[in-house]
Amino acid sequence: SYQQLQTLFWILFIVWLVTVPLSLFGLLMKIKHSVKIQQITPLAEACSFLWRDYKKEYMYWEIVSIIYKMLLTGLIMFVDTQEGSEKALRLMTAILVCTVYS
């Protein structure tokens, strides 16, 4: 039924919001030492998209950035789809998200 699907959606949505940042944080914790001493392992190289744009002491900021992006883009989901102006409201929300993020 629709109610069961909606419940499943919310459970998976919350799990996704929690597990993605925690998984990435776990990866950064695992490679932290090799990055700081500049002996890049294959795992650290594979995860370089998480830390290469930051100084070594700020390598965790990508996690904060990902959480920020997830929260801002998630706002669009909560726009009421029962109203006739849903497209305009979603567009305004998207513009607001882009403005705040830049």
Side-chain angles (χ1 to χ4, degrees):
S1 76
Y2 177 74
Q3 184 62 34
Q4 290 172 330
L5 284 176
Q6 190 174 24
T7 303
L8 179 63
F9 163 77
W10 283 110
I11 291 169
L12 293 176
F13 181 70
I14 299 298
V15 167
W16 176 72
L17 284 176
V18 172
T19 56
V20 169
L22 283 179
S23 300
L24 296 176
F25 180 75
L27 281 171
L28 284 174
M29 289 296 292
K30 187 165 179 79
I31 65 171
K32 173 178 68 171
H33 181 69
S34 67
V35 170
K36 286 194 178 194
I37 63 171
Q38 296 181 348
Q39 290 182 342
I40 307 303
T41 63
L43 179 60
E45 181 64 32
C47 298
S48 65
F49 70 95
L50 291 172
W51 57 267
R52 72 173 161 239
D53 293 336
Y54 300 96
K55 293 180 181 177
K56 305 301 183 251
E57 58 269 11
Y58 302 117
M59 64 188 283
Y60 296 103
W61 276 106
E62 185 63 25
I63 304 296
V64 174
S65 177
I66 288 171
I67 292 169
Y68 181 69
K69 291 173 191 176
M70 289 169 68
L71 291 175
L72 286 178
T73 55
L75 287 176
I76 294 173
M77 286 182 31
F78 297 105
V79 174
D80 187 15
T81 58
Q82 301 301 319
E83 298 295 319
S85 62
E86 71 178 73
K87 291 179 184 175
L89 190 53
R90 284 180 186 236
L91 178 62
M92 290 187 322
T93 305
I95 290 170
L96 176 68
V97 166
C98 291
T99 304
V100 169
Y101 187 70
S102 45

XYZ file of all heavy atoms in Angstrom:
846
model
N 0.835 -1.185 0.000
C 0.000 0.000 0.000
C 0.881 1.251 0.000
O 2.085 1.199 0.250
C -0.921 -0.008 1.200
O -0.235 0.326 2.384
N 0.261 2.360 -0.276
C 0.978 3.626 -0.340
C 1.608 3.979 1.010
O 2.738 4.456 1.068
C 0.036 4.745 -0.793
C 0.692 6.098 -0.806
C 1.597 6.429 -1.800
C 0.420 7.032 0.196
C 2.219 7.665 -1.817
C 1.032 8.274 0.189
C 1.937 8.586 -0.821
O 2.551 9.794 -0.823
N 0.895 3.736 2.084
C 1.411 4.053 3.425
C 2.677 3.260 3.721
O 3.630 3.795 4.291
C 0.335 3.781 4.483
C 0.747 4.178 5.888
C 1.020 5.667 6.017
O 0.387 6.483 5.364
N 1.978 6.025 6.860
N 2.716 2.004 3.328
C 3.903 1.184 3.552
C 5.085 1.690 2.733
O 6.209 1.733 3.221
C 3.624 -0.278 3.221
C 2.695 -0.949 4.198
C 2.296 -2.328 3.726
O 2.225 -2.587 2.529
N 2.034 -3.214 4.684
N 4.830 2.077 1.488
C 5.890 2.627 0.647
C 6.416 3.942 1.206
O 7.618 4.206 1.175
C 5.396 2.822 -0.777
C 5.283 1.571 -1.627
C 4.687 1.907 -2.990
C 6.617 0.904 -1.783
N 5.514 4.752 1.697
C 5.927 6.026 2.268
C 6.775 5.805 3.523
O 7.781 6.481 3.720
C 4.702 6.878 2.592
C 5.057 8.301 2.959
C 3.815 9.157 3.129
O 2.725 8.659 3.417
N 3.977 10.455 2.982
N 6.398 4.866 4.345
C 7.186 4.536 5.539
C 8.560 4.010 5.143
O 9.576 4.422 5.715
C 6.444 3.485 6.393
O 5.157 3.997 6.733
C 7.211 3.152 7.652
N 8.598 3.128 4.156
C 9.871 2.602 3.676
C 10.751 3.719 3.130
O 11.958 3.758 3.387
C 9.633 1.531 2.600
C 10.884 0.914 1.991
C 11.695 0.172 3.043
C 10.504 0.003 0.842
N 10.144 4.642 2.382
C 10.901 5.780 1.859
C 11.556 6.566 2.986
O 12.733 6.891 2.919
C 9.994 6.710 1.044
C 10.609 8.059 0.828
C 11.610 8.226 -0.118
C 10.224 9.146 1.598
C 12.202 9.464 -0.303
C 10.810 10.386 1.423
C 11.806 10.549 0.469
N 10.804 6.915 4.008
C 11.349 7.735 5.083
C 12.449 7.002 5.847
O 13.449 7.603 6.230
C 10.246 8.199 6.027
C 9.463 9.320 5.426
C 8.191 9.285 4.984
C 9.955 10.635 5.146
N 7.844 10.501 4.444
C 8.899 11.348 4.534
C 11.160 11.275 5.338
C 9.033 12.663 4.129
C 11.295 12.603 4.932
C 10.233 13.276 4.331
N 12.283 5.717 6.038
C 13.327 4.943 6.709
C 14.611 4.962 5.876
O 15.692 5.262 6.391
C 12.848 3.495 6.971
C 11.755 3.492 8.025
C 14.016 2.606 7.398
C 11.048 2.155 8.167
N 14.499 4.671 4.592
C 15.680 4.650 3.723
C 16.280 6.040 3.544
O 17.502 6.187 3.457
C 15.323 4.037 2.366
C 14.971 2.553 2.397
C 14.541 2.083 1.015
C 16.117 1.723 2.931
N 15.444 7.051 3.513
C 15.929 8.429 3.384
C 16.775 8.815 4.595
O 17.878 9.359 4.447
C 14.734 9.380 3.230
C 15.123 10.816 3.064
C 15.723 11.256 1.900
C 14.879 11.732 4.073
C 16.076 12.580 1.737
C 15.217 13.056 3.923
C 15.825 13.488 2.742
N 16.296 8.515 5.785
C 17.046 8.832 7.009
C 18.335 8.016 7.063
O 19.398 8.548 7.400
C 16.182 8.588 8.262
C 14.932 9.485 8.245
C 16.986 8.765 9.533
C 15.211 10.960 8.262
N 18.254 6.738 6.709
C 19.450 5.892 6.698
C 20.484 6.459 5.728
O 21.673 6.525 6.036
C 19.087 4.430 6.342
C 20.311 3.608 6.003
C 18.318 3.793 7.486
N 20.039 6.891 4.560
C 20.948 7.476 3.562
C 21.607 8.750 4.090
O 22.816 8.933 3.939
C 20.163 7.759 2.285
C 20.953 8.436 1.214
C 21.938 7.902 0.450
C 20.821 9.793 0.792
N 22.422 8.831 -0.426
C 21.753 10.004 -0.241
C 19.997 10.840 1.180
C 21.887 11.219 -0.886
C 20.125 12.044 0.536
C 21.061 12.233 -0.483
N 20.813 9.619 4.708
C 21.361 10.865 5.242
C 22.401 10.628 6.319
O 23.304 11.440 6.509
C 20.241 11.740 5.813
C 19.378 12.474 4.809
C 18.250 13.207 5.531
C 20.187 13.446 3.994
N 22.296 9.528 7.025
C 23.232 9.237 8.115
C 24.425 8.416 7.616
O 25.571 8.713 7.942
C 22.507 8.502 9.269
C 23.476 8.014 10.309
C 21.451 9.406 9.884
N 24.165 7.396 6.806
C 25.243 6.478 6.432
C 26.240 7.059 5.438
O 27.424 6.714 5.502
C 24.691 5.156 5.866
O 23.845 5.427 4.761
C 23.972 4.362 6.923
N 25.807 7.904 4.528
C 26.752 8.468 3.554
C 27.831 9.302 4.252
O 29.021 9.035 4.085
C 26.017 9.266 2.457
C 26.991 10.074 1.616
C 25.215 8.332 1.569
N 27.475 10.295 5.056
C 28.534 11.048 5.737
C 29.364 10.191 6.697
O 30.589 10.354 6.768
C 27.778 12.143 6.504
C 26.482 12.273 5.808
C 26.163 10.908 5.295
N 28.727 9.271 7.405
C 29.488 8.420 8.328
C 30.452 7.501 7.588
O 31.584 7.285 8.050
C 28.544 7.591 9.195
C 27.878 8.328 10.352
C 26.938 7.397 11.111
C 28.906 8.914 11.302
N 30.038 6.972 6.463
C 30.929 6.122 5.668
C 32.124 6.909 5.149
O 33.269 6.431 5.208
C 30.173 5.506 4.490
O 29.115 4.726 4.929
N 31.875 8.097 4.644
C 32.969 8.927 4.147
C 33.901 9.354 5.287
O 35.116 9.398 5.116
C 32.413 10.140 3.408
C 31.619 9.810 2.140
C 31.028 11.077 1.542
C 32.465 9.070 1.138
N 33.329 9.643 6.445
C 34.143 9.988 7.610
C 35.018 8.800 8.010
O 36.202 8.964 8.327
C 33.245 10.413 8.776
C 34.007 10.793 10.008
C 34.677 11.999 10.074
C 34.060 9.943 11.096
C 35.387 12.353 11.216
C 34.759 10.277 12.231
C 35.429 11.491 12.287
N 34.443 7.595 7.984
C 35.214 6.400 8.298
C 36.369 6.196 7.343
O 37.483 5.833 7.753
N 36.128 6.438 6.047
C 37.209 6.341 5.069
C 38.315 7.352 5.359
O 39.502 7.023 5.291
C 36.668 6.557 3.658
C 35.976 5.381 2.999
C 35.319 5.825 1.698
C 36.958 4.259 2.742
N 37.926 8.577 5.670
C 38.934 9.592 5.976
C 39.731 9.246 7.231
O 40.936 9.494 7.290
C 38.283 10.972 6.121
C 37.890 11.644 4.816
C 37.126 12.927 5.084
C 39.107 11.931 3.963
N 39.065 8.676 8.207
C 39.782 8.261 9.416
C 40.801 7.168 9.090
O 41.906 7.163 9.629
C 38.802 7.752 10.479
C 37.948 8.830 11.100
S 38.902 10.049 12.014
C 39.489 9.053 13.366
N 40.440 6.274 8.200
C 41.321 5.170 7.841
C 42.557 5.645 7.073
O 43.643 5.107 7.257
C 40.554 4.137 7.024
C 41.320 2.878 6.747
C 40.388 1.792 6.278
C 41.125 0.518 5.969
N 41.469 -0.251 7.129
N 42.409 6.672 6.243
C 43.530 7.136 5.424
C 44.250 8.347 5.994
O 45.238 8.800 5.427
C 43.061 7.449 3.993
C 42.074 8.615 3.986
C 42.480 6.221 3.339
C 41.727 9.133 2.629
N 43.778 8.850 7.125
C 44.314 10.091 7.695
C 45.831 10.040 7.875
O 46.546 10.961 7.460
C 43.638 10.380 9.031
C 44.218 11.553 9.799
C 43.471 11.806 11.077
C 43.697 10.665 12.057
N 43.155 10.959 13.391
N 46.332 8.980 8.439
C 47.756 8.893 8.732
C 48.593 8.903 7.448
O 49.584 9.627 7.356
C 48.056 7.642 9.557
C 49.489 7.510 9.921
N 50.102 8.360 10.819
C 50.441 6.641 9.502
C 51.361 8.021 10.936
N 51.599 6.969 10.150
N 48.181 8.118 6.461
C 48.975 8.065 5.227
C 48.955 9.395 4.484
O 49.943 9.771 3.859
C 48.485 6.939 4.319
O 47.201 7.199 3.840
N 47.860 10.128 4.569
C 47.793 11.434 3.913
C 48.685 12.440 4.637
O 49.424 13.198 4.007
C 46.337 11.940 3.848
C 46.272 13.382 3.388
C 45.510 11.053 2.937
N 48.649 12.419 5.957
C 49.443 13.391 6.721
C 50.938 13.176 6.560
O 51.704 14.133 6.546
C 49.043 13.357 8.193
C 47.697 14.012 8.412
C 47.432 14.287 9.853
C 46.085 14.990 9.934
N 45.832 15.595 11.193
N 51.376 11.924 6.430
C 52.813 11.687 6.246
C 53.184 11.603 4.765
O 54.319 11.331 4.418
C 53.281 10.409 6.983
C 52.603 9.162 6.421
C 53.078 10.535 8.470
C 53.174 7.868 6.955
N 52.231 11.869 3.913
C 52.390 11.928 2.457
C 52.911 10.620 1.864
O 53.719 10.618 0.939
C 53.288 13.102 2.063
C 52.672 14.430 2.434
C 53.526 15.606 2.032
O 54.686 15.450 1.658
N 52.952 16.783 2.097
N 52.449 9.509 2.389
C 52.689 8.202 1.794
C 51.323 7.676 1.356
O 50.662 6.938 2.081
C 53.347 7.251 2.780
C 54.772 7.614 3.105
C 55.403 6.618 4.052
O 54.723 5.851 4.716
N 56.723 6.659 4.117
N 50.933 8.093 0.178
C 49.580 7.843 -0.303
C 49.406 6.366 -0.678
O 50.088 5.855 -1.556
C 49.253 8.745 -1.511
C 49.519 10.210 -1.179
C 47.819 8.551 -1.963
C 48.777 10.736 0.018
N 48.494 5.711 0.002
C 48.170 4.313 -0.275
C 47.150 4.248 -1.412
O 46.546 5.271 -1.766
C 47.580 3.651 0.984
O 46.348 4.308 1.306
C 48.539 3.724 2.158
N 46.932 3.062 -1.980
C 45.884 2.961 -3.022
C 44.502 3.400 -2.527
O 43.742 4.031 -3.266
C 45.899 1.476 -3.397
C 47.297 1.029 -3.102
C 47.711 1.822 -1.885
N 44.170 3.093 -1.273
C 42.889 3.529 -0.724
C 42.837 5.052 -0.611
O 41.830 5.678 -0.952
C 42.621 2.892 0.639
C 41.318 3.291 1.324
C 40.108 2.912 0.466
C 41.216 2.659 2.698
N 43.922 5.659 -0.152
C 43.969 7.119 -0.034
C 43.868 7.774 -1.403
O 43.215 8.817 -1.555
C 45.243 7.554 0.673
N 44.481 7.177 -2.406
C 44.381 7.704 -3.765
C 42.955 7.592 -4.291
O 42.440 8.513 -4.917
C 45.339 6.948 -4.694
C 45.313 7.433 -6.120
C 45.779 8.869 -6.277
O 46.637 9.316 -5.500
O 45.264 9.549 -7.178
N 42.308 6.477 -3.994
C 40.917 6.290 -4.433
C 39.975 7.279 -3.752
O 38.957 7.661 -4.322
C 40.463 4.862 -4.158
N 40.315 7.698 -2.538
C 39.482 8.642 -1.778
C 39.981 10.077 -1.903
O 39.531 10.950 -1.160
C 39.464 8.246 -0.308
S 38.768 6.635 -0.004
N 40.877 10.314 -2.826
C 41.489 11.647 -2.908
C 40.478 12.750 -3.216
O 40.722 13.908 -2.900
C 42.622 11.653 -3.940
O 42.111 11.431 -5.234
N 39.346 12.397 -3.803
C 38.321 13.415 -4.063
C 37.793 14.019 -2.765
O 37.235 15.113 -2.764
C 37.168 12.831 -4.890
C 36.310 11.843 -4.142
C 35.152 12.257 -3.527
C 36.685 10.506 -4.055
C 34.360 11.349 -2.830
C 35.904 9.594 -3.381
C 34.734 10.012 -2.757
N 37.991 13.332 -1.651
C 37.530 13.840 -0.357
C 38.518 14.808 0.284
O 38.123 15.637 1.089
C 37.288 12.670 0.610
C 36.118 11.764 0.303
C 36.137 10.558 1.220
C 34.819 12.522 0.436
N 39.794 14.706 -0.048
C 40.784 15.490 0.693
C 41.740 16.303 -0.160
O 42.396 17.203 0.353
C 41.601 14.581 1.604
C 42.311 13.452 0.906
C 41.842 12.193 0.729
C 43.594 13.486 0.292
N 42.752 11.439 0.034
C 43.844 12.207 -0.233
C 44.568 14.473 0.142
C 45.016 11.888 -0.917
C 45.740 14.158 -0.535
C 45.963 12.884 -1.049
N 41.844 16.078 -1.445
C 42.896 16.725 -2.233
C 42.744 18.239 -2.355
O 43.717 18.932 -2.573
C 43.010 16.081 -3.605
C 41.876 16.393 -4.526
C 42.109 15.882 -5.930
N 40.825 15.830 -6.592
C 40.291 14.740 -7.092
N 40.948 13.619 -7.043
N 39.105 14.785 -7.653
N 41.544 18.772 -2.223
C 41.327 20.220 -2.357
C 41.547 20.977 -1.055
O 41.375 22.199 -1.021
C 39.912 20.493 -2.852
C 39.690 20.001 -4.275
O 40.681 19.880 -5.015
O 38.531 19.728 -4.637
N 41.924 20.273 -0.001
C 42.059 20.891 1.316
C 43.468 20.700 1.857
O 44.158 19.759 1.489
C 41.064 20.257 2.306
C 39.625 20.419 1.893
C 38.970 19.411 1.197
C 38.931 21.585 2.172
C 37.652 19.555 0.807
C 37.617 21.732 1.779
C 36.978 20.716 1.093
O 35.686 20.868 0.714
N 43.863 21.596 2.755
C 45.100 21.373 3.489
C 44.907 20.142 4.365
O 43.781 19.798 4.725
C 45.426 22.589 4.361
C 45.765 23.829 3.581
C 46.072 24.975 4.513
C 46.383 26.225 3.720
N 46.619 27.368 4.598
N 45.986 19.498 4.701
C 45.902 18.224 5.443
C 45.137 18.362 6.758
O 44.385 17.483 7.131
C 47.304 17.676 5.737
C 48.189 17.515 4.524
C 47.594 16.592 3.500
C 48.507 16.386 2.333
N 48.109 16.989 1.109
N 45.283 19.491 7.439
C 44.589 19.658 8.719
C 43.099 19.949 8.562
O 42.336 19.882 9.514
C 45.254 20.739 9.582
C 45.337 22.104 8.937
C 46.611 22.336 8.146
O 47.365 21.385 7.906
O 46.846 23.502 7.769
N 42.673 20.245 7.335
C 41.249 20.529 7.081
C 40.603 19.473 6.189
O 39.573 19.733 5.566
C 41.088 21.904 6.420
C 41.653 23.033 7.238
C 42.709 23.800 6.756
C 41.147 23.323 8.490
C 43.235 24.834 7.509
C 41.665 24.351 9.250
C 42.710 25.104 8.750
O 43.235 26.117 9.497
N 41.161 18.297 6.133
C 40.689 17.287 5.186
C 39.266 16.812 5.467
O 38.623 16.234 4.603
C 41.653 16.097 5.128
C 41.773 15.314 6.392
S 43.088 14.076 6.323
C 42.355 12.816 5.350
N 38.735 17.082 6.635
C 37.378 16.645 6.970
C 36.300 17.623 6.512
O 35.113 17.334 6.637
C 37.252 16.420 8.483
C 38.138 15.305 8.960
C 39.328 15.566 9.611
C 37.787 13.986 8.734
C 40.149 14.533 10.034
C 38.595 12.950 9.153
C 39.782 13.230 9.798
O 40.575 12.207 10.200
N 36.671 18.764 5.973
C 35.683 19.756 5.566
C 34.807 19.289 4.412
O 33.699 19.787 4.230
C 36.345 21.090 5.220
C 36.564 21.896 6.449
C 37.737 22.120 7.087
C 35.556 22.565 7.224
N 37.529 22.878 8.206
C 36.197 23.169 8.316
C 34.181 22.700 7.098
C 35.508 23.896 9.269
C 33.500 23.434 8.048
C 34.170 24.020 9.111
N 35.292 18.342 3.620
C 34.454 17.831 2.531
C 33.218 17.135 3.090
O 32.147 17.197 2.496
C 35.245 16.874 1.631
C 34.479 16.407 0.422
C 34.090 17.534 -0.540
O 34.765 18.582 -0.572
O 33.102 17.351 -1.270
N 33.335 16.501 4.244
C 32.182 15.865 4.881
C 31.147 16.932 5.249
O 29.951 16.756 5.022
C 32.607 15.064 6.132
C 33.668 14.031 5.791
C 31.401 14.440 6.808
C 33.228 12.962 4.856
N 31.612 18.031 5.803
C 30.711 19.138 6.149
C 30.039 19.675 4.883
O 28.834 19.923 4.869
C 31.481 20.257 6.884
C 30.602 21.472 7.123
C 32.060 19.734 8.185
N 30.813 19.801 3.821
C 30.266 20.289 2.558
C 29.211 19.332 1.993
O 28.175 19.768 1.487
C 31.402 20.468 1.547
O 30.913 20.866 0.305
N 29.461 18.046 2.092
C 28.499 17.057 1.599
C 27.208 17.104 2.406
O 26.111 17.063 1.841
C 29.129 15.648 1.605
C 30.167 15.555 0.493
C 28.062 14.567 1.459
C 31.000 14.306 0.519
N 27.318 17.202 3.719
C 26.125 17.300 4.568
C 25.334 18.561 4.215
O 24.108 18.532 4.092
C 26.506 17.284 6.059
C 27.061 15.917 6.438
C 25.322 17.647 6.942
C 27.702 15.862 7.807
N 26.045 19.652 4.024
C 25.420 20.922 3.647
C 24.653 20.777 2.332
O 23.492 21.182 2.217
C 26.522 21.978 3.542
C 26.070 23.363 3.193
C 25.325 24.114 4.093
C 26.408 23.942 1.978
C 24.929 25.398 3.785
C 26.014 25.217 1.659
C 25.270 25.940 2.567
O 24.875 27.208 2.248
N 25.280 20.161 1.334
C 24.628 19.969 0.033
C 23.414 19.054 0.146
O 22.381 19.295 -0.483
C 25.618 19.382 -0.967
C 26.715 20.330 -1.373
C 27.743 19.611 -2.223
C 28.975 20.445 -2.427
N 30.029 19.724 -3.166
N 23.555 17.995 0.931
C 22.433 17.069 1.101
C 21.246 17.763 1.750
O 20.095 17.557 1.342
C 22.870 15.867 1.934
C 23.806 14.923 1.216
S 24.551 13.682 2.285
C 23.148 12.683 2.709
N 21.506 18.585 2.751
C 20.420 19.275 3.429
C 19.761 20.320 2.532
O 18.532 20.441 2.496
C 20.927 19.915 4.724
C 21.307 18.941 5.829
C 21.916 19.687 7.002
C 20.119 18.116 6.269
N 20.563 21.072 1.795
C 19.988 22.099 0.928
C 19.195 21.504 -0.224
O 18.095 21.969 -0.534
C 21.097 23.001 0.383
C 21.696 23.981 1.376
C 22.817 24.774 0.728
C 20.648 24.925 1.921
N 19.735 20.489 -0.867
C 18.998 19.896 -1.978
C 17.801 19.096 -1.496
O 16.818 18.941 -2.225
C 19.902 18.991 -2.834
O 20.504 18.006 -2.005
C 20.962 19.797 -3.535
N 17.855 18.598 -0.281
C 16.726 17.868 0.282
C 15.525 18.748 0.547
O 14.396 18.259 0.641
N 15.741 20.060 0.656
C 14.618 20.980 0.875
C 13.593 20.905 -0.246
O 12.393 21.062 -0.020
C 15.130 22.421 0.981
C 15.867 22.806 2.251
C 16.382 24.227 2.127
C 14.944 22.675 3.445
N 14.058 20.648 -1.463
C 13.155 20.620 -2.620
C 12.130 19.505 -2.479
O 10.997 19.625 -2.937
C 13.977 20.479 -3.914
C 14.821 21.741 -4.103
C 13.096 20.258 -5.121
C 15.801 21.673 -5.233
N 12.499 18.426 -1.806
C 11.572 17.311 -1.629
C 10.355 17.682 -0.786
O 9.310 17.060 -0.894
C 12.273 16.130 -0.958
C 13.203 15.402 -1.863
S 13.962 13.986 -1.093
C 12.764 13.423 0.060
N 10.519 18.665 0.067
C 9.445 18.990 0.992
C 8.488 20.061 0.476
O 7.619 20.502 1.202
C 10.036 19.393 2.338
C 10.796 18.264 2.963
C 12.172 18.265 2.971
C 10.130 17.183 3.510
C 12.877 17.214 3.524
C 10.819 16.128 4.063
C 12.202 16.144 4.072
N 8.663 20.451 -0.772
C 7.719 21.383 -1.387
C 6.441 20.613 -1.685
O 6.459 19.525 -2.251
C 8.318 21.989 -2.670
C 7.295 22.832 -3.391
C 9.556 22.808 -2.342
N 5.323 21.171 -1.299
C 4.028 20.505 -1.449
C 3.718 20.268 -2.923
O 3.663 21.205 -3.715
C 2.936 21.354 -0.813
C 1.591 20.657 -0.786
O 1.553 19.431 -0.994
O 0.597 21.346 -0.529
N 3.503 19.007 -3.289
C 3.223 18.675 -4.690
C 1.733 18.653 -5.000
O 1.339 18.401 -6.130
C 3.824 17.294 -5.045
O 3.260 16.315 -4.162
C 5.319 17.299 -4.912
N 0.886 18.915 -4.033
C -0.559 18.894 -4.246
C -1.078 20.226 -4.799
O -2.173 20.289 -5.321
C -1.292 18.564 -2.938
C -0.892 17.223 -2.349
C -1.152 16.067 -3.315
O -2.167 16.037 -3.979
N -0.223 15.131 -3.362
N -0.302 21.254 -4.676
C -0.716 22.575 -5.139
C -0.368 22.763 -6.611
O 0.564 22.162 -7.119
C -0.040 23.671 -4.308
C -0.409 23.637 -2.846
C -1.876 23.932 -2.597
O -2.431 24.834 -3.252
O -2.469 23.246 -1.751
N -1.053 23.645 -7.284
C -0.815 23.895 -8.699
C 0.489 24.619 -8.986
O 0.997 24.557 -10.085
N 1.014 25.304 -8.006
C 2.226 26.083 -8.235
C 3.486 25.325 -7.835
O 4.499 25.928 -7.558
C 2.143 27.389 -7.444
O 2.069 27.086 -6.062
N 3.439 23.997 -7.838
C 4.571 23.209 -7.356
C 5.843 23.441 -8.166
O 6.925 23.516 -7.610
C 4.251 21.716 -7.338
C 4.164 21.103 -8.732
C 3.904 19.634 -8.695
O 2.773 19.253 -8.377
O 4.837 18.882 -8.992
N 5.719 23.567 -9.489
C 6.912 23.755 -10.320
C 7.577 25.089 -10.024
O 8.804 25.163 -9.911
C 6.566 23.640 -11.798
C 6.183 22.235 -12.201
C 5.817 22.159 -13.661
C 5.341 20.757 -13.988
N 4.870 20.651 -15.357
N 6.795 26.124 -9.891
C 7.355 27.440 -9.594
C 7.989 27.454 -8.209
O 9.079 28.010 -8.022
C 6.271 28.506 -9.692
N 7.341 26.827 -7.247
C 7.883 26.795 -5.895
C 9.166 25.973 -5.841
O 10.129 26.348 -5.174
C 6.841 26.238 -4.928
C 7.156 26.362 -3.444
C 7.493 27.806 -3.075
C 5.979 25.876 -2.614
N 9.210 24.846 -6.548
C 10.437 24.044 -6.597
C 11.560 24.827 -7.275
O 12.706 24.763 -6.856
C 10.191 22.731 -7.327
C 9.441 21.735 -6.477
C 9.219 20.442 -7.219
N 8.386 19.578 -6.413
C 8.723 18.362 -6.043
N 9.863 17.866 -6.411
N 7.919 17.642 -5.306
N 11.228 25.563 -8.328
C 12.227 26.370 -9.008
C 12.768 27.455 -8.081
O 13.976 27.678 -8.005
C 11.644 26.999 -10.277
C 12.581 27.921 -11.059
C 13.799 27.150 -11.544
C 11.841 28.553 -12.224
N 11.881 28.123 -7.353
C 12.327 29.160 -6.412
C 13.184 28.554 -5.305
O 14.184 29.131 -4.889
C 11.119 29.913 -5.834
C 10.440 30.779 -6.850
S 9.127 31.860 -6.229
C 8.295 30.927 -5.011
N 12.808 27.371 -4.831
C 13.608 26.691 -3.812
C 14.979 26.342 -4.369
O 16.001 26.517 -3.685
C 12.889 25.425 -3.317
O 11.586 25.781 -2.857
C 13.651 24.763 -2.199
N 15.032 25.845 -5.596
C 16.323 25.507 -6.230
C 17.194 26.744 -6.393
O 18.411 26.694 -6.156
C 16.088 24.826 -7.571
N 16.592 27.841 -6.781
C 17.354 29.097 -6.925
C 17.875 29.542 -5.559
O 19.026 29.970 -5.447
C 16.484 30.188 -7.579
C 16.234 29.823 -9.051
C 17.117 31.560 -7.451
C 15.197 30.685 -9.726
N 17.063 29.437 -4.540
C 17.493 29.790 -3.178
C 18.656 28.913 -2.737
O 19.650 29.402 -2.187
C 16.326 29.676 -2.197
C 16.672 29.931 -0.737
C 17.048 31.398 -0.542
C 15.495 29.564 0.144
N 18.552 27.618 -2.999
C 19.634 26.691 -2.639
C 20.920 27.069 -3.353
O 21.990 27.128 -2.751
C 19.224 25.236 -2.959
C 20.426 24.294 -2.923
C 18.153 24.758 -1.983
N 20.826 27.335 -4.641
C 22.020 27.716 -5.404
C 22.619 29.030 -4.910
O 23.840 29.180 -4.829
C 21.679 27.838 -6.886
S 21.318 26.272 -7.664
N 21.765 29.966 -4.556
C 22.240 31.252 -4.049
C 22.932 31.116 -2.711
O 24.006 31.668 -2.496
C 21.064 32.243 -3.932
O 20.420 32.353 -5.193
C 21.537 33.602 -3.462
N 22.347 30.339 -1.827
C 22.927 30.144 -0.502
C 24.240 29.388 -0.591
O 25.201 29.708 0.092
C 21.936 29.394 0.428
C 22.605 28.935 1.715
C 20.743 30.269 0.740
N 24.316 28.395 -1.478
C 25.524 27.583 -1.572
C 26.671 28.331 -2.212
O 27.815 28.101 -1.902
C 25.248 26.287 -2.327
C 26.426 25.373 -2.282
C 26.787 24.744 -1.099
C 27.222 25.156 -3.401
C 27.887 23.927 -1.019
C 28.319 24.339 -3.330
C 28.642 23.718 -2.145
O 29.741 22.919 -2.088
N 26.391 29.260 -3.133
C 27.495 29.950 -3.815
C 27.948 31.148 -3.070
O 28.406 31.391 -2.152
C 27.109 30.394 -5.189
O 25.855 31.007 -5.225
